Each structure stands twice: as structure tokens, then as C-alpha cells.
Amino acid sequence: MAQGSARYERSAAGMVGALIVTLLVILAFVAFRAINRDPLSVHPDKVDYLQVVKDLQGAGGLDPAYPAELPKGWSATRAVYNADNLAWELDLLTADGRYIGLRQAIVQSAGDLLEEYGYEQVHEGATIGIDSAISPEWKTWTFKGHSDDTAYTANLGVQWGDEPNPSRERGKGQTLLVFGGASPKELQQFIGLLAQDPLKG
């Protein structure tokens, strides 16, 4: 009886030991896969925003502001005419993945346009000068609850200087909004790239 009990104890101990070894092998395999697995990265699809601009220019009624080219590493991820908001919308990512958005629409005020896109508690800042073919003056905005976001707005179709400039009449009555989590330097760089010149082709 004692001999059978000893065999049972040895058998039970062997099973426990085998189970522990199996678990250690599984854990080692999982750890190995985790260490050697390439990190999952998601890259939004790039869009041909210039083709969308051409289509809008050909349709008439809207003279969209757009960058003729983007800095190295930047990409456009969305370019549409939003029929619900009657707005031209362009989304981009900088080389380090920071977001920049452009919105152009006919609205009563820049504040209305900001609220239309989810910025309800806005703080109007100073008007600054930016070297831009669109407008030399841009209003700055910051947002409560969106501490990393900055925005700039300009009214299109305004004439400057003593002599009327018909080219400034394009898009009259529309407001242009540039905003996002990119740095103010990057946002202002983007504004400096904007134009409304007709695209060929």
C-alpha cells in the first residue's frame, strides 16, 4: 500500500512538473514573438488633392485655397467639398504626423466657422501678419479644452492698398480657416503656401 502511494505521489509530482515546463515554454515563445514583432503602424491613404481642386475650379462657384506643393514628408489625407456645410475641406499630416486642417466656407463670422467644426469655447487672439498670397492679415484663435490646437482665420475677397485689385475679389464673402495640432510655425508655413491660382490641365 505504501509503495503504491509513493508511485502515485511521484506520478502527480511529475505531471505538475511537466505542466510547469509546458507553461514556461509557452511564455518564452510569447515573449520571443513580442520582442521580435514589428510594431503595427497605420498610415492614412494619401489623396490627390490637386485633382479635387481642379474639379472644383471647373465646376465654378468656389475658388478653393490650396497649397501648390507640400513640404517634404507632408501628405494630404482628405480633400472634399462638404455639401452639408457648403465648404471646401482639406486635411493633412506633417512629416511627424501632426494634423493640419483647412476649411473654406461662406459664414457670418469666423467664430461661426469654428463652432461648425466643433470648437465651441473659442478665444479670439491678436491679428498677425503672415506672408501669404491669400491674405496679409490673419486672426489667431485658441480653444478651451483643446490646449494643443491653434487656428488662424482670414476673410477672402478683401481689397488692400489704394488701388482696387480684382484678383482679391475671388472668393469674396468666404472665410478661410487653418487649424490643428501642428505647431504655430508649421501652421503659418502652410498658410504661406496657399494660393487660389487656376490649375492647368
Side-chain angles (χ1 to χ4, degrees):
M1 184 71 176
Q3 186 176 4
S5 177
R7 284 200 301 269
Y8 174 78
E9 290 176 359
R10 287 196 299 271
S11 177
M15 290 178 62
V16 172
L19 181 60
I20 292 174
V21 170
T22 302
L23 288 175
L24 289 175
V25 170
I26 293 173
L27 290 174
F29 176 75
V30 171
F32 175 80
R33 289 293 304 273
I35 292 173
N36 291 279
R37 179 183 298 170
D38 292 332
L40 178 64
S41 59
V42 178
H43 300 285
D45 293 334
K46 297 179 181 180
V47 300
D48 184 2
Y49 71 94
L50 291 178
Q51 183 59 55
V52 179
V53 170
K54 288 181 184 179
D55 294 342
L56 289 173
Q57 290 177 340
L62 177 69
D63 196 6
Y66 66 93
E69 59 182 6
L70 295 175
K72 183 178 180 180
W74 291 30
S75 60
T77 59
R78 179 172 171 271
V80 299
Y81 178 73
N82 187 323
D84 293 332
N85 295 333
L86 302 178
W88 156 235
E89 302 180 352
L90 176 63
D91 295 341
L92 305 102
L93 292 177
T94 64
D96 59 355
R98 293 184 179 273
Y99 172 76
I100 294 178
L102 178 151
R103 303 291 185 265
Q104 180 179 338
I106 298 176
V107 290
Q108 292 296 321
S109 68
D112 291 340
L113 187 57
L114 288 162
E115 290 183 7
E116 187 72 34
Y117 288 96
Y119 293 107
E120 297 180 354
Q121 295 178 301
V122 299
H123 174 70
E124 183 175 348
T127 298
I128 64 172
I130 299 178
D131 185 11
S132 168
I134 297 295
S135 171
E137 294 184 348
W138 291 75
K139 179 71 69 176
T140 60
W141 304 82
T142 54
F143 317 103
K144 186 176 181 180
H146 298 268
S147 58
D148 293 336
D149 286 10
T150 305
Y152 301 86
T153 58
N155 295 321
L156 302 184
V158 178
Q159 295 180 352
W160 301 282
D162 296 329
E163 296 296 328
N165 186 345
S167 67
R168 298 296 187 186
E169 290 296 316
R170 293 179 301 179
K172 187 173 183 179
Q174 298 178 10
T175 297
L176 185 62
L177 164 66
V178 174
F179 65 102
S183 68
K185 181 179 179 180
E186 289 172 320
L187 291 169
Q188 292 179 31
Q189 178 186 5
F190 175 70
I191 289 172
L193 298 173
L194 296 177
Q196 288 179 291
D197 299 327
L199 291 172
K200 298 179 180 180

